[in-house]
Amino acid sequence: MRHWLALLLSLVSFGCFAQADYAREQRWADEITPAILVGDAVALTLPDGRKFLGIYAPNTKARAGVVLVHGLGMHPDWSVVHPLRSQLAEQDYATLSVQMPVMAAGVSGEQYAPLFPEAAARIAAAVQYLRNKGHAKIVIVSHSYGARMTNVLLNQPDAPAITAWVSIGITGEYSKPATFKAPVLDLYGENDFPGVLELAAKRAAAIKPVRGSAQIRVAGADHFFQGMDNELVRNVKLFLDRSTR
């Protein structure tokens, strides 16, 4: 409760309550849904009844379900999320990539803080969706600002239990790492954003007490792992295989 209050108080610094752009979110859904080749579009529901887009790719032999969380202002088939959700679905995992709340184009990441509670609720709803599909083990793989949103969820005392978390290219430090109950992979590129690189050592120290955690810097990779999809998926899968055995 104190955490949610702190988020609400932080809105004062913006001078007004920031608004999610649900029309933009719908435009993303209308654009990408017809082009989905791996998996199917599904509607997930928040406790308040609001629905949001997910892309679910089942696997009858899945060793775990994977929730994928995209970065700032984008959609659930964007950038690094696409190779992860499609390739992991072919390699012993069921994947569910979910739409995070977005704001108007051009809004900076700092202004997204008021949307964190809804983002956390969406990730929790995705975890429950996979539980309802029969997956006993569930992991979260999140990129960039999506990792910040996942961090907010995992800080909550009532956060859903997960088996592992892969945090890709998270900027800054981890918030309240003492609350992490599952192993964390801190994955980033050698040529990542300065905000990712500068605090890599602090992130490594923060997750060291969490058994099974690790940090990997991928040589030659940038923030979006451009041209390095296979290397990205390989590192994520190796960690998931260890964490879910």
Side-chain angles (χ1 to χ4, degrees):
M1 179 64 71
R2 288 195 299 270
H3 181 77
W4 301 122
L5 179 59
L7 283 176
L8 289 173
L9 291 175
S10 73
L11 297 174
V12 175
S13 66
F14 295 111
C16 63
F17 284 83
Q19 296 292 321
D21 190 338
Y22 296 116
R24 185 182 181 208
E25 185 176 319
Q26 185 59 53
R27 290 193 297 272
W28 277 132
D30 293 341
E31 178 180 328
I32 69 172
T33 297
I36 294 173
L37 297 178
V38 178
D40 297 297
V42 296
L44 287 81
T45 307
L46 291 171
D48 65 3
R50 179 175 294 280
K51 295 186 182 298
F52 62 99
L53 175 67
I55 306 175
Y56 178 56
N59 184 316
T60 57
K61 298 181 179 180
R63 59 192 297 161
V66 180
V67 175
L68 288 132
V69 185
H70 64 78
L72 185 70
M74 301 307 293
H75 60 72
D77 204 25
W78 176 75
S79 187
V80 302
V81 172
H82 175 76
L84 285 166
R85 73 166 199 84
S86 56
Q87 292 187 40
L88 288 174
E90 298 172 349
Q91 301 180 47
D92 303 325
Y93 293 93
T95 63
L96 175 62
S97 184
V98 290
Q99 177 69 59
M100 290 294 98
V102 299
M103 298 178 70
V107 173
S108 68
E110 291 76 12
Q111 292 174 277
Y112 265 73
L115 303 189
F116 281 3
E118 181 176 344
R122 291 190 184 203
I123 300 168
V127 171
Q128 187 58 51
Y129 182 94
L130 289 177
R131 291 241 185 269
N132 293 344
K133 290 291 185 181
H135 298 289
K137 296 179 179 180
I138 297 175
V139 301
I140 300 174
V141 177
S142 46
H143 177 246
S144 195
Y145 228 74
R148 296 246 67 89
M149 295 172 175
T150 304
N151 196 157
V152 169
L153 172 65
L154 298 181
N155 286 162
Q156 304 314 307
D158 58 349
I162 61 171
T163 302
W165 175 31
V166 178
S167 168
I168 305 170
I170 189 170
T171 55
E173 301 180 57
Y174 288 113
S175 169
K176 302 179 183 177
T179 64
F180 299 164
K181 298 179 177 64
V184 180
L185 172 62
D186 183 85
L187 182 66
Y188 67 101
E190 178 185 17
N191 302 315
D192 218 311
F193 291 162
V196 178
L197 298 173
E198 290 165 2
L199 292 170
K202 288 190 175 181
R203 292 197 307 275
I207 63 175
K208 186 176 181 179
V210 186
R211 185 176 181 180
S213 295
Q215 183 181 74
I216 297 175
R217 183 181 72 173
V218 179
D222 62 14
H223 187 66
F224 302 100
F225 286 77
Q226 295 184 67
M228 301 189 68
D229 289 354
N230 291 339
E231 187 68 7
L232 169 67
V233 175
R234 185 184 71 83
N235 278 285
V236 171
K237 185 178 185 299
L238 284 173
F239 182 77
L240 296 187
D241 288 349
R242 290 197 300 270
S243 301
T244 59
R245 63 188 175 191

